[in-house]
Amino acid sequence: MNIPNRITISRILLIPIFIILMSVPFNWGEVSMGERELPWSHLAAAILFIIASTTDWVDGYYARKHNLVTNLGKFLDPLADKLLVSAALILLVEQGLAPAWIVILIISREFAVTGLRLVAAGEGIVLAASNMGKWKTTLQIVAIAVLLLHNWPFAYAGFPFGTIILYAAMIITVISGYDYFAKNWHVMRDSK
């Protein structure tokens, strides 16, 4: 197994640790974040999420630079992204930091696009991610990171930056999903 795939697998292995940090009520105290208090475990989870998200860029860059792109990597990389983002969004809903309806829209789009990619793969077609899809991922990661930090540093000014970015991520997610299906509908139409 090559280095980019190992990095991707490490991202997947970080997800249960992230979930535990967000879910288990550790009594490590809190950090003052403006009007809200941020539990230390949530700060640790946010840092872990940011590190895990960064590995997405690292493994892709390394794989392209050293010509180490593999079918396993093409499968694992988007899977790792979807698992990490879905876990984070669901935990944000549980913590009352994100509206459930937005999370449902985002995760539904991810399942739909994954389904389309699976149908295409069955036909021997590889559907590449679009630039809009990359923007979607970036906005989702920024929104999640800020919300995991309970809107720090914007909480001091009472500015709901994390929520605004989450709405922007949701809009781009829906538009990019529509665009993805519109451009690749022939795969569904022509599948055997």
Side-chain angles (χ1 to χ4, degrees), residues 2-3 8 12 18-19 27 32-33 58 61 71 91 108 111 119 121 130 133 156 158 161 164-165 169 180 186:
N2 66 30
I3 291 173
T8 301
I12 293 170
F18 167 74
I19 292 169
N27 191 13
S32 177
M33 301 295 231
V58 171
Y61 174 78
N71 287 335
L91 289 166
S108 296
F111 276 117
V119 170
S130 67
Y156 290 108
F161 180 74
I164 291 168
I165 296 299
Y180 201 81
H186 65 278

Side-chain angles (χ1 to χ4, degrees), residues 110-131:
E110 299 303 339
F111 276 117
V113 168
T114 299
L116 179 60
R117 282 188 171 148
L118 288 172
V119 170
E123 299 291 323
I125 302 168
V126 176
L127 300 179
S130 67
N131 283 334

Side-chain angles (χ1 to χ4, degrees), residues 64-83:
R64 287 184 299 276
K65 181 177 180 183
H66 297 285
N67 198 24
L68 296 172
V69 176
T70 64
N71 287 335
L72 179 62
K74 289 178 189 177
F75 169 74
L76 285 179
D77 189 60
L79 176 65
D81 295 343
K82 286 170 183 27
L83 290 172

Side-chain angles (χ1 to χ4, degrees), residues 27 71 108 117 129 132 140 166 172 183 188:
N27 191 13
N71 287 335
S108 296
R117 282 188 171 148
M132 197 180 314
Q140 287 175 358
L166 184 63
I172 295 295
K183 287 180 179 173
M188 297 293 281

